[in-house]
Amino acid sequence: MERYAEKQPSKDYIIYYGKRISYKEMDELSTKFANYLIENGFEKDDRLALVLPNVPEFYIGYFGTLKAGGICVLLNPMLREMELEYFFQESKPKFVLTLDLIYPAVEKAAKKVSDGINIIATSFKDFLPESPEIPIHPSMNAFTQKMEENLYLTDILENASSKKPNMRAAIDDNATMNFTGGTTGLPKGVYHRHQNIVYTGACTYTYNNAHLLVERYPEQEVDFEKFAAELAQTEVGLAAMPIFWVAGNDMGVVGPTVSGYTVVLFTRWDAKAAMEAIHKYKVTTTYAPFDLYWEILIHPEVGNYDLTSLRTCTGSSFIKGLTKELRKKWRELTGTILREAAYGLTETHTFDTFTAGFHRNDMDIERAEKYGGTFCGIPCPGTLIKIIDENGNLAPLGEHGEAAIKSPSVVSGYVGRPEETAKAFKDDWLLTGDIGMYDEDGFFYYISRKKYMLKVSGVSVYPTQIEFFMLRHPAIEMVGVIGASDPEKGQVPIAFVKLKDEYEGEVTEDDLLEWCRKNMAPYNVPKRIIIKKELPLTATGKVIREELIKEYERMSTS
Amino acid sequence: MREEKYFKMLENRWSNIWPHPSLPKEPVYPLGKIPDTGILGEVC
C-alpha cells in the first residue's frame, strides 16, 4: 500500500459506487487509523475484528491494523449475536470495527466476552457518494443516528495524525486471523503471516492472467515482467464476493494491492449493477460462482452493455459447474474465456494452483467431465501437493486420495486447538481433508471432501461427484447430496434438489430418479431424491450439508 | 514411491504441460524483493 501510494499516488485504488479513493488517500486513511489504534493502547499482535461487509472502511481497518503491527480478524457481517460471541471468545479482539446497523448485536456479544473490547462504528453513508453512479441496494440507504457515547470511524479519521507510525511489522508476523470449518463443526481460527499473503499475492500476479499469454502470443517469447506490468496498469477488478472470505479477499484485497490495480467494490451482488460497472469502469477481471455469470447471460438487459473490456473471468463450481455451453456463451458475449479459479482452502489463503492457459479446445472442461472432479490446473511454483492413501502412502497418478499440501502460505495450526492441529498438520504437511487426484499428465482435480465420502456396498462414493452429474439435468438448479445409513448397503446417497422455476410442478422426484438410473452408475444413484423450494446455503453460496443431514434425520424419525 | 521421486515425476509432467515458455517458474512479486526476506525464492 505504501509503495504504490508513492509510485502511483493519484491512481484509483477503490471505486465504490462512484466514490473514488486513490492509493495515496487509502494509505493516509489507514495510517491515521493505525495511529489512533496505537495511541489508544493497541500493541503488536493485538487483534482488531472487522465485522464489515464490502465497504471501503474494510480496507482502512485492514491496512490500519497491519500498520499498527496487529492482527486483523476477518468475520462475516451476517453473524448473529450468539455467533459473534463465539468468534470474539476465540479471537479475543481489543477493537472491533463494524457497521452502525449491527452495532447493537456486536456490542452485546463483545460485552459477554470482555468489558475491554472497544467498538468503532461506521455507516454505509460515510463513503457512499451522494449520487451513486451504480444503483445501490435499498438496504444500503439505512443508517442509525449517531450516539454521543459511541466511537465513530469518521471522527477518528478527522482527528488522527497522518504521520507514519513508529511500528513496522515483520514478514513473519501474524497479519490476519481467518476462520475455517464453518460447515463442518465449530469454526477454527488460523493465523496468516504477512509472508503467506504476499506469496499468494505474487502467485495471483504471476499466474492469474497467464491465459492471455497463451491467447495473444501462442508461439512467441515475451518479456513477462513487461507484459505483467502493462496488464496491471490497466487492470480493474470487480470485487463483488465477500472480502472477509479468503477467496474474495484474494481477489478483492490481496491481488489488487500486490499488483497495484483498481478495485470496483460492490457491497451486494446484483447482475444489472455488475453489467453497469463493467461497462462504465471498463472492468477487466472478475471472480464469482458460475451461477452469477449465468445471471448476467440470461438478464433481459444484457444487450445494453459493452462487456468486452473483460479479459480474465474466473469462477468456482459451488452450485453450478463450468460447462462448455457456459464458456461458449460467455465468450460470445465478452470475447474472453471463463475458467475455474484455483484450488485452495482457508488454511493456505487459497490460490494454491493455477488453471490459466489450459483452456484450449476446452481441454480443462473435458478432463473435468472425464474424471468427475473440478479441474484445478497445476500447483503454483513453490507449492507442493501430494495425494496419499488411507495409510499415508503416495497414491499413483489417476487414483483418488487425500490431498496434502506444503507451501509458503500454509498456516502453522489451529489457534488454541492443539489436538486438531496435531491431526491435520504432520511433518510440515497440511492434510486438507479433501479428496483429490492427479491425472496422467499431472493435472490436479478436486474430487470431494473426505468426510463426505460414502461407502455404498463397499464402493467409494463422493457426494460432490453425484451433485456434479445431477446438475446436468436440465430441470435442476441446485443439489446437495448427503449420506444416510442403510441396512443393506451400509450407506446410501440422498439428494436434496431445488428445481429451476420453470420446472416446478413439471418434474417429479420419480422423474429425477429415473434420469439418474439412466445416466449414473448404480452406486451413485441416490436412494431418495427430495425436491425443496430452497436449500440451506452458506454466505458464499455453498450448500450446507450439515443442515440437510439434520433435516433428513428429522424426516426419518417423524 | 518415495516423495523425492514422486515430485520429480510430477515436475517432469508439469514441464511438459507448462502453458507458455515465457511464464515464470517462480512467482513474481511486482515490487521487487519481498521485504525482509531478500528474495522470493527464499520463501518458495
Side-chain angles (χ1 to χ4, degrees), chain A residues 60 65 81 98 121 144 354 361 425 445 527 529:
Chain A
I60 298 170
T65 304
E81 183 188 324
T98 192
T144 57
F354 71 95
N361 303 317
F425 295 82
Y445 301 81
K527 181 165 186 184
I529 295 177

Side-chain angles (χ1 to χ4, degrees), chain A residues 3 171 195 198 202 205-207 217 220-222 224 258 358 379 381 385-387 394 397 408 440-443, chain B residues 1 3 6-7 9-10 13-14 17-20 22-31 34-37 43:
Chain A
R3 292 280 295 278
I171 196 84
Q195 175 182 297
V198 170
Y205 177 79
T206 313
Y207 301 112
Y217 312 101
Q220 193 182 335
E221 293 257 358
V222 297
F224 179 80
V258 167
F358 302 122
I385 299 175
K386 64 181 180 180
I387 307 296
L394 293 164
L397 301 186
E440 68 280 9
D441 289 320
F443 288 115
Chain B
M1 193 188 292
E3 224 168 69
Y6 177 81
F7 282 111
M9 177 263 295
L10 279 172
R13 279 167 168 76
W14 295 333
I17 58 176
W18 195 250
H20 195 280
S22 301
L23 187 65
K25 299 221 168 155
E26 191 173 280
V28 174
Y29 182 61
L31 291 168
I34 290 182
D36 303 344
T37 62
V43 291

